[in-house]
Amino acid sequence: MADPMTQSPQISSSQGLNDGHTAASKDSKFCVHDLVHWRDPKKSGVVFGTSLLLLLSLAAFSVISVISYLLLALLCVTISFRIYKSVVQAVQKSNEGHPFKALMEKDVSVPPETFRKHVDQCLTHINRALKQMSRLFLVEDLVDSLKLAVVMWLLTYVGAVFNGITILILADILIFSVPPLYERNKTQIDHYIDVARTHINSTMAKLQEKLPGALKRCKKE
């Protein structure tokens, strides 16, 4: 039988770890929320501009070319700065050492706890998605499966007009433009959303009334 005195530190440490994971998750959510709502225009502008430039580059060049150009540009900057500092030190006869010494001494390794935390979060989302897909494709709810079929049918037309990169570019623009627009016009947008939701619910109710009796019983169960 385990000693209660030895159990309590273990329990408190595990609770502290869970609390830390929860706090980190909330902080990341708040960070994304602040970015898309332009709480700090400089940070949001940098993230939006960088992501849009990267997507536009991927639209014009291959992934390998984009990655190679980015790494080459980074190497050019670091090598040029290294040579410049070496020349300055030689002229001034100073001994400042390596210009990137402070950065090289930083620990860039990923802690095992952080890696396990992100793996657990990804596994949770994957399991939830697999459960939802199983429910939809095995027609647990006929109406939900029909909704998915309609969405997939509409996406075939979207795919015929846009490719994947174009959709990602549009999504990036919408992510950074829709939230601030919604905040400015929240009342009007909510009104139109309620009207659309009412029409959709009434249409789905009429559709369910026309379903055969056996399907209705399955839905009620």
PDB file of all heavy atoms in Angstrom, residues 83-116:
ATOM      1  N   ILE A  83      30.805  37.642 -41.746  1.00  0.00           N
ATOM      2  CA  ILE A  83      31.989  38.210 -42.394  1.00  0.00           C
ATOM      3  C   ILE A  83      32.166  39.673 -42.013  1.00  0.00           C
ATOM      4  O   ILE A  83      33.285  40.143 -41.729  1.00  0.00           O
ATOM      5  CB  ILE A  83      31.883  38.041 -43.917  1.00  0.00           C
ATOM      6  CG1 ILE A  83      31.919  36.560 -44.290  1.00  0.00           C
ATOM      7  CG2 ILE A  83      33.002  38.793 -44.621  1.00  0.00           C
ATOM      8  CD1 ILE A  83      31.669  36.295 -45.764  1.00  0.00           C
ATOM      9  N   TYR A  84      31.057  40.427 -41.974  1.00  0.00           N
ATOM     10  CA  TYR A  84      31.124  41.849 -41.613  1.00  0.00           C
ATOM     11  C   TYR A  84      31.691  42.032 -40.206  1.00  0.00           C
ATOM     12  O   TYR A  84      32.576  42.867 -39.986  1.00  0.00           O
ATOM     13  CB  TYR A  84      29.731  42.456 -41.722  1.00  0.00           C
ATOM     14  CG  TYR A  84      29.604  43.824 -41.092  1.00  0.00           C
ATOM     15  CD1 TYR A  84      30.132  44.951 -41.715  1.00  0.00           C
ATOM     16  CD2 TYR A  84      28.960  43.974 -39.873  1.00  0.00           C
ATOM     17  CE1 TYR A  84      30.036  46.204 -41.129  1.00  0.00           C
ATOM     18  CE2 TYR A  84      28.851  45.214 -39.279  1.00  0.00           C
ATOM     19  CZ  TYR A  84      29.389  46.326 -39.902  1.00  0.00           C
ATOM     20  OH  TYR A  84      29.288  47.563 -39.314  1.00  0.00           O
ATOM     21  N   LYS A  85      31.192  41.241 -39.251  1.00  0.00           N
ATOM     22  CA  LYS A  85      31.682  41.369 -37.872  1.00  0.00           C
ATOM     23  C   LYS A  85      33.147  40.952 -37.765  1.00  0.00           C
ATOM     24  O   LYS A  85      33.908  41.545 -36.980  1.00  0.00           O
ATOM     25  CB  LYS A  85      30.828  40.511 -36.941  1.00  0.00           C
ATOM     26  CG  LYS A  85      29.386  40.990 -36.800  1.00  0.00           C
ATOM     27  CD  LYS A  85      29.300  42.362 -36.167  1.00  0.00           C
ATOM     28  CE  LYS A  85      29.657  42.351 -34.702  1.00  0.00           C
ATOM     29  NZ  LYS A  85      29.445  43.681 -34.059  1.00  0.00           N
ATOM     30  N   SER A  86      33.541  39.954 -38.565  1.00  0.00           N
ATOM     31  CA  SER A  86      34.947  39.525 -38.527  1.00  0.00           C
ATOM     32  C   SER A  86      35.861  40.634 -39.048  1.00  0.00           C
ATOM     33  O   SER A  86      36.939  40.892 -38.486  1.00  0.00           O
ATOM     34  CB  SER A  86      35.130  38.255 -39.365  1.00  0.00           C
ATOM     35  OG  SER A  86      34.363  37.192 -38.831  1.00  0.00           O
ATOM     36  N   VAL A  87      35.438  41.306 -40.128  1.00  0.00           N
ATOM     37  CA  VAL A  87      36.228  42.407 -40.675  1.00  0.00           C
ATOM     38  C   VAL A  87      36.314  43.558 -39.681  1.00  0.00           C
ATOM     39  O   VAL A  87      37.385  44.153 -39.464  1.00  0.00           O
ATOM     40  CB  VAL A  87      35.628  42.872 -42.018  1.00  0.00           C
ATOM     41  CG1 VAL A  87      36.316  44.150 -42.499  1.00  0.00           C
ATOM     42  CG2 VAL A  87      35.737  41.777 -43.065  1.00  0.00           C
ATOM     43  N   VAL A  88      35.176  43.890 -39.060  1.00  0.00           N
ATOM     44  CA  VAL A  88      35.157  44.977 -38.071  1.00  0.00           C
ATOM     45  C   VAL A  88      36.068  44.656 -36.902  1.00  0.00           C
ATOM     46  O   VAL A  88      36.841  45.511 -36.424  1.00  0.00           O
ATOM     47  CB  VAL A  88      33.713  45.228 -37.592  1.00  0.00           C
ATOM     48  CG1 VAL A  88      33.709  46.184 -36.396  1.00  0.00           C
ATOM     49  CG2 VAL A  88      32.876  45.799 -38.720  1.00  0.00           C
ATOM     50  N   GLN A  89      36.037  43.418 -36.424  1.00  0.00           N
ATOM     51  CA  GLN A  89      36.899  43.028 -35.311  1.00  0.00           C
ATOM     52  C   GLN A  89      38.375  43.065 -35.709  1.00  0.00           C
ATOM     53  O   GLN A  89      39.234  43.439 -34.902  1.00  0.00           O
ATOM     54  CB  GLN A  89      36.525  41.626 -34.832  1.00  0.00           C
ATOM     55  CG  GLN A  89      35.180  41.544 -34.141  1.00  0.00           C
ATOM     56  CD  GLN A  89      34.811  40.127 -33.734  1.00  0.00           C
ATOM     57  OE1 GLN A  89      35.666  39.257 -33.643  1.00  0.00           O
ATOM     58  NE2 GLN A  89      33.525  39.891 -33.500  1.00  0.00           N
ATOM     59  N   ALA A  90      38.669  42.696 -36.969  1.00  0.00           N
ATOM     60  CA  ALA A  90      40.066  42.729 -37.421  1.00  0.00           C
ATOM     61  C   ALA A  90      40.570  44.158 -37.543  1.00  0.00           C
ATOM     62  O   ALA A  90      41.716  44.462 -37.186  1.00  0.00           O
ATOM     63  CB  ALA A  90      40.188  42.002 -38.766  1.00  0.00           C
ATOM     64  N   VAL A  91      39.715  45.062 -38.037  1.00  0.00           N
ATOM     65  CA  VAL A  91      40.125  46.465 -38.186  1.00  0.00           C
ATOM     66  C   VAL A  91      40.277  47.119 -36.822  1.00  0.00           C
ATOM     67  O   VAL A  91      41.255  47.855 -36.566  1.00  0.00           O
ATOM     68  CB  VAL A  91      39.099  47.226 -39.051  1.00  0.00           C
ATOM     69  CG1 VAL A  91      39.384  48.726 -39.047  1.00  0.00           C
ATOM     70  CG2 VAL A  91      39.114  46.694 -40.480  1.00  0.00           C
ATOM     71  N   GLN A  92      39.323  46.897 -35.941  1.00  0.00           N
ATOM     72  CA  GLN A  92      39.356  47.517 -34.614  1.00  0.00           C
ATOM     73  C   GLN A  92      40.241  46.747 -33.641  1.00  0.00           C
ATOM     74  O   GLN A  92      40.449  47.194 -32.506  1.00  0.00           O
ATOM     75  CB  GLN A  92      37.930  47.618 -34.054  1.00  0.00           C
ATOM     76  CG  GLN A  92      37.018  48.512 -34.867  1.00  0.00           C
ATOM     77  CD  GLN A  92      35.605  48.558 -34.291  1.00  0.00           C
ATOM     78  OE1 GLN A  92      35.271  47.794 -33.390  1.00  0.00           O
ATOM     79  NE2 GLN A  92      34.788  49.473 -34.825  1.00  0.00           N
ATOM     80  N   LYS A  93      40.740  45.583 -34.072  1.00  0.00           N
ATOM     81  CA  LYS A  93      41.582  44.725 -33.232  1.00  0.00           C
ATOM     82  C   LYS A  93      40.897  44.415 -31.907  1.00  0.00           C
ATOM     83  O   LYS A  93      41.498  44.474 -30.828  1.00  0.00           O
ATOM     84  CB  LYS A  93      42.935  45.388 -32.987  1.00  0.00           C
ATOM     85  CG  LYS A  93      43.764  45.564 -34.256  1.00  0.00           C
ATOM     86  CD  LYS A  93      45.112  46.187 -33.964  1.00  0.00           C
ATOM     87  CE  LYS A  93      45.910  46.338 -35.263  1.00  0.00           C
ATOM     88  NZ  LYS A  93      47.253  46.950 -35.032  1.00  0.00           N
ATOM     89  N   SER A  94      39.617  44.108 -31.988  1.00  0.00           N
ATOM     90  CA  SER A  94      38.842  43.732 -30.800  1.00  0.00           C
ATOM     91  C   SER A  94      38.660  42.218 -30.770  1.00  0.00           C
ATOM     92  O   SER A  94      38.915  41.519 -31.751  1.00  0.00           O
ATOM     93  CB  SER A  94      37.479  44.425 -30.816  1.00  0.00           C
ATOM     94  OG  SER A  94      36.752  44.033 -31.971  1.00  0.00           O
ATOM     95  N   ASN A  95      38.251  41.742 -29.639  1.00  0.00           N
ATOM     96  CA  ASN A  95      38.055  40.299 -29.475  1.00  0.00           C
ATOM     97  C   ASN A  95      36.657  40.049 -28.898  1.00  0.00           C
ATOM     98  O   ASN A  95      36.507  39.611 -27.758  1.00  0.00           O
ATOM     99  CB  ASN A  95      39.133  39.722 -28.555  1.00  0.00           C
ATOM    100  CG  ASN A  95      39.108  38.204 -28.546  1.00  0.00           C
ATOM    101  OD1 ASN A  95      38.522  37.575 -29.433  1.00  0.00           O
ATOM    102  ND2 ASN A  95      39.744  37.607 -27.546  1.00  0.00           N
ATOM    103  N   GLU A  96      35.642  40.393 -29.710  1.00  0.00           N
ATOM    104  CA  GLU A  96      34.267  40.229 -29.250  1.00  0.00           C
ATOM    105  C   GLU A  96      33.774  38.793 -29.378  1.00  0.00           C
ATOM    106  O   GLU A  96      32.746  38.438 -28.824  1.00  0.00           O
ATOM    107  CB  GLU A  96      33.344  41.167 -30.046  1.00  0.00           C
ATOM    108  CG  GLU A  96      33.661  42.642 -29.851  1.00  0.00           C
ATOM    109  CD  GLU A  96      32.760  43.526 -30.687  1.00  0.00           C
ATOM    110  OE1 GLU A  96      31.891  42.974 -31.395  1.00  0.00           O
ATOM    111  OE2 GLU A  96      32.920  44.756 -30.633  1.00  0.00           O
ATOM    112  N   GLY A  97      34.472  37.990 -30.148  1.00  0.00           N
ATOM    113  CA  GLY A  97      34.057  36.605 -30.316  1.00  0.00           C
ATOM    114  C   GLY A  97      33.029  36.447 -31.425  1.00  0.00           C
ATOM    115  O   GLY A  97      32.808  37.349 -32.247  1.00  0.00           O
ATOM    116  N   HIS A  98      32.399  35.311 -31.427  1.00  0.00           N
ATOM    117  CA  HIS A  98      31.420  34.989 -32.472  1.00  0.00           C
ATOM    118  C   HIS A  98      30.183  35.876 -32.317  1.00  0.00           C
ATOM    119  O   HIS A  98      29.641  36.016 -31.222  1.00  0.00           O
ATOM    120  CB  HIS A  98      31.011  33.513 -32.366  1.00  0.00           C
ATOM    121  CG  HIS A  98      30.401  32.965 -33.616  1.00  0.00           C
ATOM    122  ND1 HIS A  98      29.131  33.305 -34.034  1.00  0.00           N
ATOM    123  CD2 HIS A  98      30.893  32.120 -34.554  1.00  0.00           C
ATOM    124  CE1 HIS A  98      28.858  32.680 -35.157  1.00  0.00           C
ATOM    125  NE2 HIS A  98      29.918  31.944 -35.503  1.00  0.00           N
ATOM    126  N   PRO A  99      29.701  36.490 -33.414  1.00  0.00           N
ATOM    127  CA  PRO A  99      28.539  37.398 -33.284  1.00  0.00           C
ATOM    128  C   PRO A  99      27.251  36.680 -32.892  1.00  0.00           C
ATOM    129  O   PRO A  99      26.334  37.318 -32.364  1.00  0.00           O
ATOM    130  CB  PRO A  99      28.427  38.021 -34.679  1.00  0.00           C
ATOM    131  CG  PRO A  99      29.112  37.065 -35.594  1.00  0.00           C
ATOM    132  CD  PRO A  99      30.217  36.451 -34.788  1.00  0.00           C
ATOM    133  N   PHE A 100      27.173  35.388 -33.153  1.00  0.00           N
ATOM    134  CA  PHE A 100      25.963  34.633 -32.817  1.00  0.00           C
ATOM    135  C   PHE A 100      26.161  33.749 -31.581  1.00  0.00           C
ATOM    136  O   PHE A 100      25.450  32.763 -31.404  1.00  0.00           O
ATOM    137  CB  PHE A 100      25.529  33.756 -34.007  1.00  0.00           C
ATOM    138  CG  PHE A 100      25.197  34.526 -35.242  1.00  0.00           C
ATOM    139  CD1 PHE A 100      25.938  34.353 -36.402  1.00  0.00           C
ATOM    140  CD2 PHE A 100      24.155  35.442 -35.249  1.00  0.00           C
ATOM    141  CE1 PHE A 100      25.631  35.063 -37.551  1.00  0.00           C
ATOM    142  CE2 PHE A 100      23.853  36.159 -36.388  1.00  0.00           C
ATOM    143  CZ  PHE A 100      24.590  35.977 -37.546  1.00  0.00           C
ATOM    144  N   LYS A 101      27.141  34.106 -30.749  1.00  0.00           N
ATOM    145  CA  LYS A 101      27.448  33.268 -29.591  1.00  0.00           C
ATOM    146  C   LYS A 101      26.259  33.153 -28.647  1.00  0.00           C
ATOM    147  O   LYS A 101      25.944  32.066 -28.152  1.00  0.00           O
ATOM    148  CB  LYS A 101      28.654  33.848 -28.850  1.00  0.00           C
ATOM    149  CG  LYS A 101      29.102  32.986 -27.670  1.00  0.00           C
ATOM    150  CD  LYS A 101      30.323  33.590 -26.994  1.00  0.00           C
ATOM    151  CE  LYS A 101      30.749  32.714 -25.813  1.00  0.00           C
ATOM    152  NZ  LYS A 101      31.936  33.295 -25.119  1.00  0.00           N
ATOM    153  N   ALA A 102      25.567  34.266 -28.393  1.00  0.00           N
ATOM    154  CA  ALA A 102      24.424  34.244 -27.478  1.00  0.00           C
ATOM    155  C   ALA A 102      23.309  33.351 -28.003  1.00  0.00           C
ATOM    156  O   ALA A 102      22.658  32.621 -27.245  1.00  0.00           O
ATOM    157  CB  ALA A 102      23.907  35.655 -27.238  1.00  0.00           C
ATOM    158  N   LEU A 103      23.098  33.376 -29.319  1.00  0.00           N
ATOM    159  CA  LEU A 103      22.050  32.535 -29.905  1.00  0.00           C
ATOM    160  C   LEU A 103      22.452  31.069 -29.907  1.00  0.00           C
ATOM    161  O   LEU A 103      21.615  30.183 -29.703  1.00  0.00           O
ATOM    162  CB  LEU A 103      21.755  32.995 -31.344  1.00  0.00           C
ATOM    163  CG  LEU A 103      21.142  34.389 -31.481  1.00  0.00           C
ATOM    164  CD1 LEU A 103      21.013  34.766 -32.953  1.00  0.00           C
ATOM    165  CD2 LEU A 103      19.775  34.445 -30.806  1.00  0.00           C
ATOM    166  N   MET A 104      23.745  30.787 -30.140  1.00  0.00           N
ATOM    167  CA  MET A 104      24.202  29.410 -30.175  1.00  0.00           C
ATOM    168  C   MET A 104      24.148  28.766 -28.796  1.00  0.00           C
ATOM    169  O   MET A 104      24.029  27.544 -28.680  1.00  0.00           O
ATOM    170  CB  MET A 104      25.623  29.336 -30.738  1.00  0.00           C
ATOM    171  CG  MET A 104      25.699  29.631 -32.227  1.00  0.00           C
ATOM    172  SD  MET A 104      27.323  29.273 -32.954  1.00  0.00           S
ATOM    173  CE  MET A 104      28.359  30.420 -32.056  1.00  0.00           C
ATOM    174  N   GLU A 105      24.258  29.572 -27.746  1.00  0.00           N
ATOM    175  CA  GLU A 105      24.223  29.021 -26.387  1.00  0.00           C
ATOM    176  C   GLU A 105      22.807  28.753 -25.898  1.00  0.00           C
ATOM    177  O   GLU A 105      22.611  28.145 -24.858  1.00  0.00           O
ATOM    178  CB  GLU A 105      24.920  29.982 -25.424  1.00  0.00           C
ATOM    179  CG  GLU A 105      26.431  30.051 -25.637  1.00  0.00           C
ATOM    180  CD  GLU A 105      27.089  31.064 -24.736  1.00  0.00           C
ATOM    181  OE1 GLU A 105      26.338  31.847 -24.077  1.00  0.00           O
ATOM    182  OE2 GLU A 105      28.332  31.097 -24.672  1.00  0.00           O
ATOM    183  N   LYS A 106      21.816  29.227 -26.647  1.00  0.00           N
ATOM    184  CA  LYS A 106      20.432  28.987 -26.256  1.00  0.00           C
ATOM    185  C   LYS A 106      20.048  27.538 -26.527  1.00  0.00           C
ATOM    186  O   LYS A 106      20.487  26.933 -27.505  1.00  0.00           O
ATOM    187  CB  LYS A 106      19.476  29.917 -27.007  1.00  0.00           C
ATOM    188  CG  LYS A 106      19.496  31.343 -26.504  1.00  0.00           C
ATOM    189  CD  LYS A 106      18.402  32.164 -27.166  1.00  0.00           C
ATOM    190  CE  LYS A 106      18.345  33.569 -26.600  1.00  0.00           C
ATOM    191  NZ  LYS A 106      17.247  34.362 -27.213  1.00  0.00           N
ATOM    192  N   ASP A 107      19.216  26.999 -25.651  1.00  0.00           N
ATOM    193  CA  ASP A 107      18.746  25.623 -25.807  1.00  0.00           C
ATOM    194  C   ASP A 107      17.561  25.615 -26.774  1.00  0.00           C
ATOM    195  O   ASP A 107      16.504  26.161 -26.476  1.00  0.00           O
ATOM    196  CB  ASP A 107      18.334  25.054 -24.444  1.00  0.00           C
ATOM    197  CG  ASP A 107      17.948  23.587 -24.534  1.00  0.00           C
ATOM    198  OD1 ASP A 107      18.263  22.958 -25.571  1.00  0.00           O
ATOM    199  OD2 ASP A 107      17.334  23.062 -23.576  1.00  0.00           O
ATOM    200  N   VAL A 108      17.755  24.994 -27.938  1.00  0.00           N
ATOM    201  CA  VAL A 108      16.699  24.951 -28.949  1.00  0.00           C
ATOM    202  C   VAL A 108      16.015  23.581 -28.997  1.00  0.00           C
ATOM    203  O   VAL A 108      15.185  23.335 -29.872  1.00  0.00           O
ATOM    204  CB  VAL A 108      17.274  25.283 -30.349  1.00  0.00           C
ATOM    205  CG1 VAL A 108      17.766  26.713 -30.389  1.00  0.00           C
ATOM    206  CG2 VAL A 108      18.395  24.313 -30.722  1.00  0.00           C
ATOM    207  N   SER A 109      16.365  22.707 -28.068  1.00  0.00           N
ATOM    208  CA  SER A 109      15.747  21.376 -28.059  1.00  0.00           C
ATOM    209  C   SER A 109      14.304  21.465 -27.560  1.00  0.00           C
ATOM    210  O   SER A 109      13.950  22.361 -26.781  1.00  0.00           O
ATOM    211  CB  SER A 109      16.544  20.423 -27.171  1.00  0.00           C
ATOM    212  OG  SER A 109      16.589  20.906 -25.837  1.00  0.00           O
ATOM    213  N   VAL A 110      13.488  20.530 -28.015  1.00  0.00           N
ATOM    214  CA  VAL A 110      12.082  20.476 -27.613  1.00  0.00           C
ATOM    215  C   VAL A 110      11.956  19.620 -26.359  1.00  0.00           C
ATOM    216  O   VAL A 110      12.346  18.446 -26.378  1.00  0.00           O
ATOM    217  CB  VAL A 110      11.207  19.882 -28.739  1.00  0.00           C
ATOM    218  CG1 VAL A 110       9.753  19.806 -28.305  1.00  0.00           C
ATOM    219  CG2 VAL A 110      11.353  20.708 -30.010  1.00  0.00           C
ATOM    220  N   PRO A 111      11.423  20.164 -25.255  1.00  0.00           N
ATOM    221  CA  PRO A 111      11.264  19.365 -24.040  1.00  0.00           C
ATOM    222  C   PRO A 111      10.302  18.202 -24.268  1.00  0.00           C
ATOM    223  O   PRO A 111       9.312  18.348 -25.000  1.00  0.00           O
ATOM    224  CB  PRO A 111      10.685  20.371 -23.022  1.00  0.00           C
ATOM    225  CG  PRO A 111      11.007  21.714 -23.578  1.00  0.00           C
ATOM    226  CD  PRO A 111      11.009  21.562 -25.065  1.00  0.00           C
ATOM    227  N   PRO A 112      10.580  17.042 -23.667  1.00  0.00           N
ATOM    228  CA  PRO A 112       9.679  15.893 -23.850  1.00  0.00           C
ATOM    229  C   PRO A 112       8.249  16.179 -23.410  1.00  0.00           C
ATOM    230  O   PRO A 112       7.294  15.707 -24.029  1.00  0.00           O
ATOM    231  CB  PRO A 112      10.322  14.800 -22.982  1.00  0.00           C
ATOM    232  CG  PRO A 112      11.754  15.202 -22.849  1.00  0.00           C
ATOM    233  CD  PRO A 112      11.762  16.691 -22.862  1.00  0.00           C
ATOM    234  N   GLU A 113       8.092  16.974 -22.336  1.00  0.00           N
ATOM    235  CA  GLU A 113       6.732  17.279 -21.863  1.00  0.00           C
ATOM    236  C   GLU A 113       5.959  18.075 -22.904  1.00  0.00           C
ATOM    237  O   GLU A 113       4.778  17.817 -23.148  1.00  0.00           O
ATOM    238  CB  GLU A 113       6.791  18.069 -20.543  1.00  0.00           C
ATOM    239  CG  GLU A 113       7.387  17.300 -19.371  1.00  0.00           C
ATOM    240  CD  GLU A 113       8.903  17.291 -19.388  1.00  0.00           C
ATOM    241  OE1 GLU A 113       9.489  17.999 -20.240  1.00  0.00           O
ATOM    242  OE2 GLU A 113       9.499  16.560 -18.569  1.00  0.00           O
ATOM    243  N   THR A 114       6.627  19.051 -23.527  1.00  0.00           N
ATOM    244  CA  THR A 114       5.964  19.850 -24.560  1.00  0.00           C
ATOM    245  C   THR A 114       5.589  18.992 -25.762  1.00  0.00           C
ATOM    246  O   THR A 114       4.482  19.105 -26.306  1.00  0.00           O
ATOM    247  CB  THR A 114       6.888  20.990 -25.016  1.00  0.00           C
ATOM    248  OG1 THR A 114       7.259  21.784 -23.883  1.00  0.00           O
ATOM    249  CG2 THR A 114       6.197  21.877 -26.033  1.00  0.00           C
ATOM    250  N   PHE A 115       6.505  18.088 -26.158  1.00  0.00           N
ATOM    251  CA  PHE A 115       6.226  17.212 -27.299  1.00  0.00           C
ATOM    252  C   PHE A 115       5.041  16.300 -26.998  1.00  0.00           C
ATOM    253  O   PHE A 115       4.134  16.147 -27.821  1.00  0.00           O
ATOM    254  CB  PHE A 115       7.476  16.380 -27.614  1.00  0.00           C
ATOM    255  CG  PHE A 115       7.292  15.431 -28.761  1.00  0.00           C
ATOM    256  CD1 PHE A 115       7.317  15.888 -30.063  1.00  0.00           C
ATOM    257  CD2 PHE A 115       7.082  14.080 -28.529  1.00  0.00           C
ATOM    258  CE1 PHE A 115       7.142  15.020 -31.125  1.00  0.00           C
ATOM    259  CE2 PHE A 115       6.912  13.201 -29.574  1.00  0.00           C
ATOM    260  CZ  PHE A 115       6.942  13.665 -30.877  1.00  0.00           C
ATOM    261  N   ARG A 116       5.030  15.699 -25.803  1.00  0.00           N
ATOM    262  CA  ARG A 116       3.924  14.802 -25.428  1.00  0.00           C
ATOM    263  C   ARG A 116       2.613  15.558 -25.331  1.00  0.00           C
ATOM    264  O   ARG A 116       1.559  15.039 -25.704  1.00  0.00           O
ATOM    265  CB  ARG A 116       4.245  14.110 -24.103  1.00  0.00           C
ATOM    266  CG  ARG A 116       5.245  12.975 -24.212  1.00  0.00           C
ATOM    267  CD  ARG A 116       5.231  12.114 -22.963  1.00  0.00           C
ATOM    268  NE  ARG A 116       5.732  12.857 -21.818  1.00  0.00           N
ATOM    269  CZ  ARG A 116       7.001  12.850 -21.417  1.00  0.00           C
ATOM    270  NH1 ARG A 116       7.899  12.140 -22.102  1.00  0.00           N
ATOM    271  NH2 ARG A 116       7.384  13.534 -20.370  1.00  0.00           N
TER     272      ARG A 116
END
